[in-house]
Amino acid sequence: NAEYMGVLRERSSSMSLPKRRWEVLLDNSKSSARSALPDPLGFRSSNSDVEESRNTTKQSQTASREIKEKKAWETATAPGKSFFMTLFMLWMSGSGVNIFSMMMTFMAMMNPVKALLNVSSAFAAFEDAHISLLLPKLTYFALNCVALGAGLYKCSTLGLLPTAAGDWISLIPLKQAVEHSSGFVQ
């Protein structure tokens, strides 16, 4: 086998094979042949790397801003998504004054009040100089006010809010009589 391999090497070195069109000499002395070749797939020169890194940085910053704005809008519309569940729970609790209806009504009023007091902290993760959070904050505020209104309406239907004239009768002053009449019966 060793003799056979040696013979093959001698024959291949003595024979000159025709040059194939896909064959390239990688000799540094021939720069013109090297410049004529296209860059391989995935190869990037150093000048284009700098420009592309700048472009990708700008694109990533833009994408980050878009994601933050999208998440801010998701946070702003979250009270609207839970609003119908709150309405359903208020309806299921009934119109009688009992512990369950009181708990549901308290929950329906307390959660929007907490959310209204923590608007800034709810949107703190989305703060950016290039993103305006005014509309998402106003939407968040409005939806929480609507949810609070639903809780107040439930209080009114339960008779817990003083909305009728009879609820305020204790504040009406008593009129002093201007005349006195007296008499006797025989």
Side-chain angles (χ1 to χ4, degrees):
N1 275 343
E3 292 175 11
Y4 179 72
M5 293 300 284
V7 170
L8 282 179
R9 279 188 210 134
E10 287 176 14
R11 280 188 186 174
S12 65
S13 63
S14 64
M15 287 200 245
S16 73
L17 296 173
K19 189 174 181 180
R20 295 177 185 97
R21 63 182 182 141
W22 53 266
E23 192 173 337
V24 176
L25 294 175
L26 299 175
D27 187 13
N28 289 339
S29 63
K30 297 180 181 177
S31 62
S32 63
R34 189 174 187 200
S35 64
L37 294 174
D39 289 336
L41 294 176
F43 177 79
R44 294 186 178 128
S45 66
S46 61
N47 292 338
S48 65
D49 284 344
V50 172
E51 291 175 12
E52 287 186 22
S53 67
R54 288 179 188 162
N55 289 340
T56 56
T57 303
K58 289 179 183 178
Q59 289 173 350
S60 66
Q61 288 174 350
T62 304
S64 174
R65 288 183 196 132
E66 289 174 358
I67 290 171
K68 282 184 179 181
E69 190 170 358
K70 183 180 176 185
K71 292 291 183 181
W73 276 107
E74 286 178 9
T75 302
T77 57
K81 293 175 184 174
S82 65
F83 178 68
F84 293 106
M85 180 58 76
T86 303
L87 285 179
F88 179 71
M89 293 302 292
L90 289 175
W91 177 70
M92 288 297 290
S93 66
S95 61
V97 179
N98 55 47
I99 189 70
F100 298 111
S101 62
M102 296 297 290
M103 284 190 316
M104 289 300 147
T105 306
F106 180 75
M107 180 264 320
M109 289 180 9
M110 190 51 102
N111 288 341
V113 169
K114 284 182 192 176
L116 289 173
L117 293 176
N118 295 322
V119 171
S120 296
S121 63
F123 289 93
F126 313 117
E127 291 291 332
D128 192 357
H130 303 287
I131 297 174
S132 174
L133 294 177
L134 180 64
L135 285 177
K137 284 183 178 182
L138 287 175
T139 304
Y140 186 77
F141 182 80
L143 289 175
N144 279 308
C145 285
V146 168
L148 181 62
L152 290 173
Y153 177 76
K154 178 66 175 183
C155 281
S156 176
T157 58
L158 290 176
L160 300 175
L161 287 181
T163 56
D167 295 331
W168 301 97
I169 200 150
S170 62
L171 299 177
I172 298 174
L174 294 175
K175 291 187 179 183
Q176 298 296 326
V178 180
E179 298 178 7
H180 285 283
S181 63
S182 61
F184 63 93
V185 178
Q186 277 189 352

